[in-house]
Amino acid sequence: MAHEQIEAPDNTAVRTALWRAMHLQIDPPPHVVEDEIGLQLAAPGDAWRARPDMDPRATGGFRAAIVARARFIEDLIAEQADRGVTQYVILGAGLDTFAQRKPELASRLQIFEVDQPGTQAFKRRRLVELGYGIPDWLHLVPVDFEAGASWPEQLSTAGFDPGRPAVIVSTGVTMYLTKDTTAATLREIAGLAPGSTLAMTFLLPTELVDAADRPGLQASEEGARASGTPFISFYTPNEMLALARDAGFTDSRHVSGAALAERYFADRTDGLRPSSGEDLLLATI
């Protein structure tokens, strides 16, 4: 039993995977992202849609925000791959399924998924059980962050070449880290090869969140705290841009959640729109 408890994804990874599946199952087309593989990996049981955090109406904005950021990242990867970038690093990969859903694009890359050892062990086992396997271009990189392990060192051991450009993505992670840790991560990424691109999400302070979305954000904070993974860091866009600049990035910009909503949801007639509260830093080296 202890082994099973260790070898498992965290609650956030599962919730994100289920919201992506929920979008495909209950929202009308066009679907921003089509992903039920994460649901297969998580194997939450038949009653998963009855979970309070899967309420179709109450959590619609969060569901939309999750698929919007996933689509933005996938569009970025396709764009960078067409420019000749061949390395893709996902920090805090959770139950990401890009490699399984987009094999034609993914197989052109060396993909490095970085996460805690328990999550990686669980995912490796489930990919094999479901018949997807682990292709030679997909690298599941376990890093024990709590023990102070160095993710750049683990990446290099897994075959990552720091001398070649890469896309580095971190979504849904910075709120759980101290600002010093995020600043250190930015410095490490800024030291990678010129031509590399970073996409990193961050949570806005409550006063910058639309009033209608504040109760949902508060509920998310309370849920995160109750599950033992409290939100500890929030950033204004200017604060995040300053962190990137101080880390050594010379070209960085803020991509708002509103911009993603306009890009991917403008023509929808069902009223589905991403909630405000999470924005993106997009920076190049």
Side-chain angles (χ1 to χ4, degrees):
M1 178 65 73
H3 179 68
E4 292 177 354
Q5 289 176 340
I6 294 172
E7 192 174 296
D10 63 32
N11 292 330
T12 302
V14 172
R15 185 181 305 112
T16 299
L18 299 187
W19 274 337
R20 293 197 303 261
M22 194 80 145
H23 173 58
L24 187 58
Q25 291 188 4
I26 72 169
D27 296 326
H31 294 114
V32 180
V33 166
E34 297 185 0
D35 180 12
E36 286 187 300
I37 296 176
L39 170 62
Q40 296 171 24
L41 289 172
D46 294 338
W48 69 273
R49 282 179 51 169
R51 292 170 40 152
D53 58 357
M54 292 297 125
D55 183 284
R57 294 175 64 89
T59 63
F62 293 121
R63 182 171 70 249
I66 289 297
V67 297
R69 81 183 189 193
R71 175 63 179 274
F72 178 83
I73 295 302
E74 292 187 6
D75 288 351
L76 174 67
I77 296 303
E79 171 191 288
Q80 293 298 310
D82 286 344
R83 292 181 177 177
V85 175
T86 59
Q87 298 187 112
Y88 175 27
V89 178
I90 312 172
L91 299 178
L95 298 179
D96 188 273
T97 59
F98 169 76
Q100 291 75 45
R101 290 182 295 106
K102 305 284 187 179
E104 291 186 5
L105 174 56
S107 62
R108 295 162 51 192
L109 307 166
Q110 292 294 313
I111 301 176
F112 301 87
E113 298 189 6
V114 179
D115 214 317
Q116 295 280 5
T119 296
Q120 298 297 60
F122 174 88
K123 187 173 186 180
R124 182 179 296 276
R125 175 170 58 82
R126 292 295 293 145
L127 285 173
V128 171
E129 290 172 349
L130 292 169
Y132 291 104
I134 315 291
D136 57 9
W137 42 263
L138 176 61
H139 312 273
L140 303 184
V141 185
V143 178
D144 191 346
F145 297 101
E146 294 177 0
S150 168
W151 64 265
E153 289 181 8
Q154 297 294 90
L155 268 185
S156 295
T157 300
F160 178 78
D161 183 352
R164 292 168 47 216
V167 177
I168 305 93
V169 167
S170 173
T171 59
V173 175
T174 59
M175 70 279 275
Y176 302 111
L177 306 176
T178 66
K179 293 189 175 184
D180 286 346
T181 298
T182 294
T185 299
L186 287 169
R187 288 193 297 271
E188 289 171 319
I189 295 171
L192 296 177
S196 296
T197 301
L198 166 69
M200 174 180 280
T201 63
F202 59 94
L203 286 188
L204 300 172
T206 302
E207 63 270 18
L208 296 184
V209 177
D210 292 348
D213 294 330
R214 291 177 187 174
L217 177 61
Q218 182 178 1
S220 293
E221 286 190 67
E222 292 171 353
R225 189 179 306 111
S227 64
T229 53
F231 298 164
I232 59 177
S233 295
F234 301 82
Y235 303 85
T236 67
N238 285 339
E239 285 174 337
M240 184 54 77
L241 289 170
L243 274 183
R245 184 175 59 250
D246 292 345
F249 288 95
T250 56
D251 182 8
S252 58
R253 64 187 177 94
H254 163 233
V255 180
S256 69
L260 297 187
E262 185 61 28
R263 180 169 177 174
Y264 298 118
F265 293 82
D267 297 327
R268 296 189 71 92
T269 59
D270 60 352
L272 184 67
R273 298 278 289 189
S275 58
S276 60
E278 184 178 65
D279 287 2
L280 272 151
L281 167 71
L282 187 63
T284 56
I285 303 168

